[in-house]
Amino acid sequence: MRIDLIPTADEIKKETLSGQTAIALDILRATSTIVTAMACGCREMVPVETVVEALSTVQKRPDVILGGERESLLIPGFHLGNSPLEYTREKVGGKVVVLTTTNGTRAIRRAAVGSGEVLIGSVLNAGAVAREALNTGRDIVFICAGTRGEFSLEDTVAAGLIMMELYNLSGGNTVLPGSDLAVAAWRLGEFYAHNPLQALYDSLHGQKLAGMGLAADMEWCARLNCYDLVPAYQRDTIIVKS
Amino acid sequence: MRIDLIPTADEIKKETLSGQTAIALDILRATSTIVTAMACGCREMVPVETVVEALSTVQKRPDVILGGERESLLIPGFHLGNSPLEYTREKVGGKVVVLTTTNGTRAIRRAAVGSGEVLIGSVLNAGAVAREALNTGRDIVFICAGTRGEFSLEDTVAAGLIMMELYNLSGGNTVLPGSDLAVAAWRLGEFYAHNPLQALYDSLHGQKLAGMGLAADMEWCARLNCYDLVPAYQRDTIIVKS
């Protein structure tokens, strides 16, 4: 099985994803928040790209909760920000959440254009998402959201940690990196495997979040294999796949 | 001092290099060959982008030697290929070599458009090039040649090894990565520091060269700090700077 990595949502080309299993990563914080919300019983999440799109959805369906961020901050009129710590069972259990974030929701939606279904990955569910991806029997492509249109360390390291899980689950013989960037991600995963939190502090976006007093979010997002669940995006919505 | 990394020659923007010290890297094999040739007494190297440009240069100056490759192979009519092992004191001592390679010579010339002077880096002269770059007192940008227009592992790791030398030489307090890609390079340098040859075998271009029977070239290019010399490109030519 071939594995590859696309470093930013802007670099997705539809044809490169055809017939492949896409894993979307924006671990600081969109995909970590999605995994956490789903683990806390959230029924469904609808990723949208703009604040206007989110507000118009809530007009049609007043029962939904609005979540997301711009510049890492709560959006006026929204119920929740983009911190996974806010997505508790009390707040999101049984609910539908419409989510808009700067990079993550865009990456998820763009990944789906080529691949049909997108698995939502993070450090929190690395092993589960690897197992699910392996079960599809298809080649795997990691879609990193990137930071301001550039390569992001934290998402690349998360891809590497999932690659290590793929390697272990498959017996180690069949995982072939399709590019030097995929090899680099794998090696970075090995480098940070014993301390994923360090990768978050090494990243520019992580340093920004820490400077904003969001270190607790980073600690939350760095916990390896906390959740044995895989959210998947298909037909405009995210539900728990396995 | 800020350090950054541009993963392929195509991504060089003139304004990003202004006022910075550029270090060009195409360690398999162009920049390793340049460093080796200069260490063997080559007087001057002239990097050109096309075979036609090389052939027209030799018509004007019949005393020069032609070196280079296309598809990693010797170019018909050329004296030398792109293997550093060919660039011995007997063949290049005191001579002028015109060099054209698929990616490396282009990266060197494009880097010079913005920065004026380009230091030629490799694993072979990592410490020397770090010392020279530090002496300029300017921010440093690593220009990787890339493989077929994509991120290349071997050049990124070489940048990381030079970053480690910068860190050690500067006392460790003043080297600030300006992007996540620069951090990733540094961490990859640390990962492979005890076995740079492994990085070459992990890279797709290295695997191609090994498949062509060029493993001896890879072993040559992976030797850390063999040469205490820094070639530099300025005004269309490469000479030893220090």
Side-chain angles (χ1 to χ4, degrees):
Chain A
M1 172 227 327
R2 195 171 175 273
I3 53 173
D4 215 333
L5 182 142
I6 297 176
T8 72
D10 292 332
E11 288 165 71
I12 296 172
K13 289 178 197 142
K14 190 176 167 182
E15 65 272 24
T16 63
L17 301 184
S18 175
Q20 297 185 71
T21 294
I23 300 174
L25 295 164
D26 184 13
I27 71 160
L28 287 178
R29 298 166 287 170
T31 59
S32 299
T33 293
I34 293 166
V35 170
T36 303
M38 292 318 229
C40 290
C42 176
R43 182 152 54 91
E44 183 184 334
M45 293 185 96
V46 183
V48 300
E49 287 191 38
T50 66
V51 173
V52 172
E53 208 177 342
L55 292 170
S56 69
T57 306
V58 84
Q59 281 187 326
K60 289 178 222 151
R61 297 179 59 179
D63 58 316
V64 306
I65 290 177
L66 291 182
E69 55 73 30
R70 285 297 179 273
E71 296 292 329
S72 308
L73 296 170
L74 180 69
I75 300 164
F78 275 44
H79 307 93
L80 298 169
N82 192 30
S83 166
L85 299 173
E86 296 178 61
Y87 289 69
T88 58
R89 191 165 291 278
E90 292 67 36
K91 287 190 180 150
V92 301
K95 301 281 175 60
V96 175
V97 176
V98 173
L99 186 74
T100 181
T101 71
T102 312
N103 296 303
T105 51
R106 187 158 160 271
I108 293 166
R109 285 173 56 147
R110 291 199 59 161
V113 172
S115 65
E117 184 187 63
V118 181
L119 306 182
I120 307 299
S122 67
V123 176
L124 297 167
N125 70 338
V129 80
R131 185 193 62 223
E132 187 63 36
L134 210 55
N135 284 343
T136 67
R138 303 197 292 178
D139 290 340
I140 295 167
V141 58
F142 294 88
I143 313 289
C144 298
T147 301
R148 298 178 187 274
E150 302 282 341
F151 170 98
S152 66
L153 182 69
E154 70 275 20
D155 294 333
T156 308
V157 169
L161 294 170
I162 298 171
M163 289 174 192
M164 291 171 70
E165 300 280 351
L166 283 169
Y167 182 83
N168 291 333
L169 287 167
S170 68
N173 293 318
T174 57
V175 185
L176 294 172
S179 67
D180 276 9
L181 202 52
V183 179
W186 194 333
R187 295 309 194 194
L188 287 166
E190 291 182 75
F191 183 88
Y192 287 108
H194 296 293
N195 189 5
L197 183 60
Q198 186 58 49
L200 276 50
Y201 275 102
D202 278 353
S203 74
L204 298 191
H205 187 52
Q207 286 163 21
K208 180 187 161 196
L209 293 179
M212 295 172 71
L214 296 169
D217 279 18
M218 291 166 63
E219 281 177 33
W220 184 273
C221 297
R223 296 170 310 142
L224 187 61
N225 290 332
C226 271
Y227 296 127
D228 188 31
L229 116 171
V230 183
Y233 176 74
Q234 201 176 22
R235 288 187 287 274
D236 299 331
T237 192
I238 295 168
I239 55 168
V240 172
K241 184 173 185 189
S242 66
Chain B
M1 174 226 326
R2 195 171 173 273
I3 52 172
D4 215 333
L5 182 142
I6 297 177
T8 71
D10 292 333
E11 288 165 71
I12 296 172
K13 291 177 196 144
K14 190 177 167 182
E15 66 272 24
T16 63
L17 300 185
S18 177
Q20 297 184 71
T21 295
I23 299 174
L25 294 163
D26 183 13
I27 71 160
L28 286 178
R29 297 167 285 167
T31 59
S32 299
T33 294
I34 292 167
V35 170
T36 302
M38 292 317 229
C40 289
C42 177
R43 181 153 54 91
E44 182 186 334
M45 293 186 96
V46 183
V48 299
E49 287 191 37
T50 66
V51 172
V52 172
E53 209 177 341
L55 292 170
S56 69
T57 307
V58 85
Q59 281 186 326
K60 290 177 221 152
R61 297 179 59 179
D63 58 316
V64 307
I65 291 178
L66 291 181
E69 56 73 29
R70 285 299 179 271
E71 297 292 329
S72 308
L73 296 171
L74 180 68
I75 299 164
F78 276 44
H79 307 93
L80 298 169
N82 192 29
S83 167
L85 300 173
E86 296 178 62
Y87 289 69
T88 57
R89 191 164 292 278
E90 292 68 35
K91 287 190 180 150
V92 300
K95 301 282 176 60
V96 175
V97 176
V98 173
L99 186 74
T100 181
T101 72
T102 312
N103 297 302
T105 51
R106 186 159 160 271
I108 293 165
R109 285 172 56 146
R110 292 199 58 161
V113 172
S115 65
E117 182 188 64
V118 181
L119 306 183
I120 306 300
S122 67
V123 175
L124 298 167
N125 70 338
V129 80
R131 186 193 61 223
E132 186 63 36
L134 209 56
N135 284 344
T136 67
R138 304 196 293 179
D139 290 341
I140 295 166
V141 58
F142 294 88
I143 313 288
C144 299
T147 301
R148 297 177 187 276
E150 304 280 343
F151 169 98
S152 66
L153 182 69
E154 70 277 17
D155 294 333
T156 308
V157 169
L161 294 169
I162 297 170
M163 289 174 192
M164 292 171 69
E165 301 280 351
L166 283 169
Y167 183 83
N168 290 333
L169 286 168
S170 68
N173 294 319
T174 57
V175 185
L176 294 171
S179 68
D180 276 10
L181 202 52
V183 179
W186 193 332
R187 295 311 195 193
L188 287 166
E190 291 183 75
F191 183 88
Y192 287 108
H194 296 292
N195 189 3
L197 183 59
Q198 186 58 48
L200 275 49
Y201 274 102
D202 278 353
S203 74
L204 298 190
H205 187 53
Q207 286 164 21
K208 180 188 161 195
L209 293 180
M212 294 171 73
L214 296 169
D217 278 16
M218 292 165 63
E219 282 177 32
W220 185 272
C221 296
R223 295 169 311 142
L224 187 62
N225 290 332
C226 270
Y227 296 125
D228 188 30
L229 114 173
V230 183
Y233 176 74
Q234 201 176 23
R235 289 187 287 274
D236 299 331
T237 191
I238 296 168
I239 55 167
V240 172
K241 184 173 185 188
S242 67

